[in-house]
Amino acid sequence: MNDDWVLVRFGELTIKGRNRGRFEDMMVRQVKRTLAAFPALTYQKTYGRLYIRLNGEDYNRIADRLKDVFGIVSFSRVLRCENDLQEIRAAALQVMREVDPAPRTFKVTVKRVWKPFPHDSQEMNHLVGAHVLRNTPELKVDVRKPDTELKVEIQPEGTYVYAGVQQAAGGFPLGMNGKAMLLLSGGIDSPVAGWMAMRKGLEVEAVHFHSYPFTSEQAKEKVVTLAQRLAYYAGSIKLHLVSFTDLQTKLAQTGHEHLIITLMRRSMLRITQKLAEQRGALAIVTGDSLGQVASQTLGSMHVIGRETTLPLLRPLVMMDKLEIIRIAEKIGTFETSILPYEDCCTLFVPKSPATNPNLRIVEKAEDQLGEELDRLVEQAVATVETIELTAESRSDAPAPAEERWF
């Protein structure tokens, strides 16, 4: 009798050598957390793979969740049968009849991992392919560019038969590579940067700077919605809301109007570094994209980045806007990001912001504030409001399950 399973393939963690087993265990735990709402599922881990037995659960709902799990490179719905030629043939025919849309051409690829099986891979290609052809006369064999590739894997515990591979998010298991703080604005770029950081195995805590009452409550709620969207991929996420009003107002009074964006961004990094030290984070993630705005020229990024000793991770730095928008649409943040609610970075924007600020002049402007700057930074840190957001519902899924991420 054939059983319905899902074959899950792990991604970049295969490069981890002697630590591979530990990372695979982390990956399995993450999958189980993601699929906790499906109690009938059972799991079987092998080297570099995970098999999930459906036991009557809806495959389409499972696939909708699996495609967004970091660390999964792809997965397939498979039939598992005994290591018996007739059962393998029957499973192959069943799989081919269920391919949608119906193919016109196919090829068979057999991988015989369990060597005691009496027929080698080449023999099995012909034995299985001939059986399918006899029972589906509308099909033809095309070994070069088939519409469907029927795959058969003969393993010690049984044979797996499938005819499709669904791409997933890839990357590393969430949290495998440590923790970072994400500067989360209400724009398009920073949520994408956060998603990309999580995809590379970073646990992320978001930091948002607001200037109430100059910025509205709607602007704050917009950021909460974006953080909640990121929480779908992470399971949960902490959002630190920093009141930036007093510090921003003081910086605007320095008389260096053209440097105000540089001064604000440096103060944000100073505050974020202090939060990182409290939270055990080892890096700061930003949505900077080279040359996109005045604060993201190479000169500006150099001067702004000198404020922190933590690594500044800029996942989008070499991407153009259309690439960033494409990812934002896929992960479900774009529609929220373009809502017309201002953030604190739109306040006090000069007509001609510095694109190549001088570090010495910037530091001199900060020195004018003396201990007042340190006091305002400490005040901002001390009054942070932290909320924890959990995964949102899937009623607004960002992309159909069959789409590729990259």
Side-chain angles (χ1 to χ4, degrees):
M1 180 177 178
N2 300 331
D3 281 336
D4 215 359
W5 294 67
V6 181
L7 164 58
V8 178
R9 304 172 188 86
F10 300 148
E12 294 189 48
L13 59 92
T14 58
I15 67 175
K16 289 299 181 179
R18 289 180 297 177
N19 291 321
R20 177 170 176 161
R22 181 169 65 88
F23 295 136
E24 286 184 353
D25 290 341
M26 182 183 295
M27 188 72 252
V28 172
R29 289 195 297 271
Q30 184 170 311
V31 171
K32 288 182 176 181
R33 285 197 302 270
T34 302
L35 301 180
F38 306 95
L41 300 177
T42 54
Y43 302 85
Q44 178 182 322
K45 184 173 77 72
T46 63
Y47 189 73
R49 290 180 169 190
L50 175 67
Y51 293 95
I52 305 173
R53 190 173 186 176
L54 291 176
N55 294 317
E57 295 282 9
D58 185 350
Y59 169 75
N60 291 324
R61 294 179 63 201
I62 303 298
D64 191 50
R65 298 307 305 267
L66 286 178
K67 71 182 179 63
D68 295 323
V69 176
F70 300 119
I72 296 179
V73 64
S74 65
F75 57 93
S76 301
R77 186 174 189 172
V78 302
L79 283 185
R80 175 170 159 175
C81 63
E82 297 296 324
N83 290 335
D84 173 80
L85 176 59
Q86 297 310 316
E87 289 209 22
I88 294 171
R89 282 174 155 181
L93 184 59
Q94 179 180 341
V95 168
M96 286 303 300
R97 284 174 170 169
E98 293 176 356
V99 173
D100 187 24
R104 292 175 299 177
T105 60
F106 79 109
K107 67 178 286 189
V108 178
T109 301
V110 176
K111 183 177 182 181
R112 188 184 65 159
V113 178
W114 185 57
K115 300 306 180 185
F117 192 78
H119 305 285
D120 65 24
S121 297
Q122 289 300 319
E123 288 180 281
M124 286 297 292
N125 287 340
H126 295 292
L127 290 169
V128 173
H131 181 73
V132 172
L133 282 173
R134 281 195 299 270
N135 290 276
T136 52
E138 69 276 10
L139 277 175
K140 294 183 179 180
V141 173
D142 184 343
V143 297
R144 294 186 177 180
K145 292 184 178 180
D147 294 336
T148 296
E149 183 175 4
L150 177 64
K151 295 192 175 185
V152 178
E153 297 186 6
I154 304 172
Q155 301 281 355
E157 71 278 7
T159 296
Y160 300 90
V161 184
Y162 59 97
V165 176
Q166 188 164 319
Q167 300 299 316
F172 291 95
L174 188 69
M176 193 178 82
N177 288 325
K179 181 191 289 188
M181 309 300 286
L182 168 68
L183 292 181
L184 183 64
S185 71
I188 296 171
D189 300 341
S190 58
V192 174
W195 180 86
M196 294 183 73
M198 292 190 296
R199 183 175 179 269
K200 293 298 289 185
L202 285 174
E203 177 189 352
V204 164
E205 293 191 11
V207 181
H208 175 69
F209 294 85
H210 64 90
S211 293
Y212 186 81
F214 299 115
T215 54
S216 66
E217 189 67 22
Q218 291 168 314
K220 173 182 172 182
E221 289 304 315
K222 175 182 175 181
V223 171
V224 171
T225 301
L226 289 171
Q228 188 173 41
R229 187 60 193 161
L230 292 179
Y232 166 70
Y233 300 97
S236 66
I237 192 170
K238 288 185 172 63
L239 173 62
H240 305 283
L241 298 167
V242 181
S243 177
F244 202 53
T245 309
D246 293 345
L247 183 47
Q248 190 172 18
T249 303
K250 184 62 68 173
L251 291 172
Q253 296 171 355
T254 60
H256 297 275
E257 181 184 2
H258 67 296
L259 292 176
I260 185 64
I261 299 297
T262 302
L263 293 169
M264 285 194 302
R265 293 298 297 268
R266 281 170 60 89
S267 292
M268 288 177 179
L269 288 182
R270 185 181 297 190
I271 292 167
T272 303
Q273 175 160 318
K274 290 183 177 294
L275 292 174
E277 292 168 353
Q278 293 178 1
R279 306 297 304 175
L282 300 179
I284 298 173
V285 178
T286 76
D288 294 337
S289 176
L290 186 62
Q292 188 164 246
V293 294
S295 64
Q296 294 174 19
T297 64
L298 190 59
S300 290
M301 287 194 291
H302 166 69
V303 171
I304 293 169
R306 291 287 291 268
E307 182 59 38
T308 180
T309 59
L310 290 176
L312 267 178
L313 306 182
R314 298 179 171 106
L316 315 183
V317 70
M318 295 300 179
M319 298 175 67
D320 64 36
K321 197 66 176 184
L322 290 178
E323 291 176 297
I324 298 168
I325 289 173
R326 181 172 65 87
I327 298 176
E329 290 173 335
K330 282 187 177 292
I331 66 176
T333 59
F334 180 74
E335 293 300 326
T336 301
S337 292
I338 61 175
L339 293 175
Y341 304 129
E342 74 288 348
D343 59 32
C344 68
C345 290
T346 63
L347 303 176
F348 307 111
V349 175
K351 293 181 180 179
S352 301
T355 58
N356 190 27
N358 184 290
L359 179 61
R360 182 182 60 80
I361 295 175
V362 170
E363 291 177 337
K364 185 176 180 180
E366 292 171 338
D367 288 342
Q368 291 177 16
L369 297 176
E371 294 182 357
E372 181 69 0
L373 178 59
D374 294 333
R375 184 188 70 78
L376 290 171
V377 168
E378 293 296 339
Q379 175 182 298
V381 173
T383 57
V384 166
E385 176 190 358
T386 299
I387 57 178
E388 184 165 0
L389 300 161
T390 56
E392 64 181 6
S393 70
R394 290 296 291 141
S395 60
D396 60 343
E402 67 272 17
E403 288 197 18
R404 295 175 64 97
W405 285 108
F406 293 101

